[in-house]
């Protein structure tokens, strides 16, 4: 049995559709019922991984072994084969929010970091303490955010404390090292920025930030004569630069060196298509796969 931590870093806005509409949004993103945090449900992520394996020309037998039967591959009696890769929900690590300085900051929370700490605990790196901001305040990883009494984060004006938080800075360094491509010049600016521009928001602030700082798009469907056929309808997206993480577990006879190598090639610093609106460039995420014993 081999456990993994899979980071997903959004290189374009991502839409994984919820079951129904929400307020004025016809097509909201998936969210947890208890927290309201954006999430990519495990079944959606597993479908994306299966599609990626097929696109990478995995042998059909390996796809069946790892991901199980497709809907079109049911046995004559209607039965299916269970896949031996367990895929957890991709939970939020940090989401970018607009600011008046430095363009944007990544916002996280004690809940998001505590969940990430649980995932790391199973991999083996030394544990990090989780910062605990007051409900109506925030903490910053870098000194650039602590030289003013308050900072504008999206629609909120938030005090971030008189000095950087050491616990949050340690998390910023670990996430920057593990979620972004190591040594890749194209990602260098974001790696440096993440180490300084991670902010932990208190529990009273986080719901507002996660609700107001997603992207909204108004779209219509045209007919052959270019007249409006349906719409307008409103879609919600997780913004580019959003970071999520999921736990994977490779079990049983699928846990072989060959399959582990195939997963590493499939999800090691590769682009993965997740969610809808693929034809208009949405849903591109960069993957980083950490096996047990990995990490910063």
């Amino acid at each position: 049995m081999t456990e993994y931590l899979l980071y997903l870093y959004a290189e374009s806005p991502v839409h994984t559709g919820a079951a129904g509409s929400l307020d004025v949004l016809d097509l909201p993103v998936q969210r947890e019922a208890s927290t309201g945090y954006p999430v990519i449900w495990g079944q959606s992520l597993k479908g994306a991984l299966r599609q990626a394996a097929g696109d990478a020309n995995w042998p059909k037998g390996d796809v069946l072994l790892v991901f199980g039967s497709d809907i079109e591959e049911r046995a004559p009696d209607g039965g299916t084969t269970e896949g031996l890769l367990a895929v957890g929900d991709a939970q939020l690590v940090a989401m970018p929010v607009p600011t008046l300085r430095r363009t944007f900051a990544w916002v996280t929370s004690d809940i998001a970091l505590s969940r990430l700490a649980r995932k790391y605990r199973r991999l083996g790196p030394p544990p990090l303490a989780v910062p605990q901001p007051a409900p109506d305040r925030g903490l910053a990883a870098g000194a650039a955010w602590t030289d003013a009494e308050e900072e504008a984060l999206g629609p909120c004006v938030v005090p971030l404390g008189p000095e950087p938080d050491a616990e949050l800075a340690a998390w910023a360094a670990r996430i920057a090292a593990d979620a972004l491509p190591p040594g890749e010049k194209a990602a260098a600016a974001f790696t440096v920025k993440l180490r300084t521009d991670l902010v932990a928001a208190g529990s009273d602030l986080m719901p507002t930030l996660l609700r107001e700082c997603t992207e909204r798009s108004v779209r219509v469907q045209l007919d052959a004569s270019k007249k409006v056929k349906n719409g307008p309808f409103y879609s919600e997206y997780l913004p580019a630069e959003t970071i999520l993480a999921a736990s994977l577990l490779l079990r049983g006879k699928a846990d072989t060196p060959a399959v582990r190598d195939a997963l590493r090639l499939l999800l090691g610093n590769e682009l993965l298509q997740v969610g809808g609106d693929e034809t208009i460039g949405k849903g591109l995420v960069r993957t980083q796969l950490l096996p047990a014993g990995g990490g910063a």
Side-chain angles (χ1 to χ4, degrees):
M1 183 170 65
T2 303
E3 298 192 54
Y4 298 93
L5 171 59
L6 176 65
Y7 271 109
L8 305 172
Y9 186 97
E11 293 199 353
S12 70
V14 177
H15 175 79
T16 51
S21 60
L22 177 66
D23 297 328
V24 299
L25 289 169
D26 301 288
L27 298 170
V29 297
Q30 296 169 354
R31 290 180 182 269
E32 299 171 349
S34 58
T35 64
Y37 283 29
V39 65
I40 299 175
W41 299 125
Q43 58 268 34
S44 299
L45 179 56
K46 189 172 186 178
L49 298 181
R50 182 190 178 91
Q51 180 64 49
D55 293 343
N57 296 317
W58 275 30
K60 288 187 177 180
D62 287 351
V63 174
L64 182 64
L65 179 68
V66 175
F67 298 103
S69 302
D70 195 3
I71 294 176
E72 299 176 354
E73 297 173 346
R74 291 180 179 271
D77 62 358
T80 58
T81 300
E82 178 187 17
L84 294 178
L85 179 68
V87 180
D89 298 336
Q91 296 175 319
L92 183 73
V93 173
M95 192 180 85
V97 300
T99 58
L100 295 180
R101 297 194 295 168
R102 301 175 66 85
T103 310
F104 72 90
W106 280 275
V107 66
T108 187
S109 71
D110 54 351
I111 290 177
L113 292 179
S114 294
R115 290 172 165 180
L116 186 58
R118 289 201 299 251
K119 294 179 175 67
Y120 269 108
R121 191 177 298 122
R122 296 199 291 269
L123 295 188
L128 296 177
V130 174
Q132 302 289 327
D136 59 345
R137 303 176 67 89
L139 300 170
W145 300 98
T146 59
D147 59 0
E149 291 187 2
E150 296 176 321
E151 287 288 346
L153 302 178
C156 302
V157 179
V158 184
L160 295 179
E163 59 186 21
D165 183 83
E167 293 176 346
L168 186 61
W171 274 110
R174 174 167 286 183
I175 295 168
D178 290 348
L180 288 162
E184 187 173 292
K185 292 183 178 180
F190 291 100
T191 301
V192 173
K193 182 175 177 62
L194 182 53
R195 289 176 180 269
T196 59
D197 293 354
L198 183 67
V199 173
S203 57
D204 290 350
L205 303 168
M206 199 65 173
T208 299
L209 293 171
L210 296 182
R211 181 178 64 250
E212 299 296 331
C213 297
T214 55
E215 295 187 7
R216 316 288 173 88
S217 175
V218 183
R219 298 176 57 197
V220 296
Q221 181 184 14
L222 304 179
D223 61 18
S225 62
K226 303 300 182 181
K227 295 181 179 179
V228 175
K229 180 180 180 181
N230 292 307
F233 54 90
Y234 296 80
S235 298
E236 183 181 28
Y237 298 89
L238 293 181
E241 321 310 329
T242 297
I243 306 171
L244 304 103
S247 293
L248 307 183
L249 178 62
L250 189 62
R251 306 167 290 164
K253 60 184 180 180
D255 188 16
T256 66
V259 173
R260 291 195 294 268
D261 286 346
L263 278 176
R264 178 180 54 81
L265 291 173
L266 184 70
L267 300 175
N269 192 24
E270 296 294 335
L271 276 179
L272 178 69
Q273 175 68 44
V274 179
D277 296 336
E278 177 180 0
T279 58
I280 53 175
K282 310 300 185 184
L284 292 175
V285 298
R286 178 73 60 176
T287 60
Q288 300 294 334
L289 188 67
L290 280 63

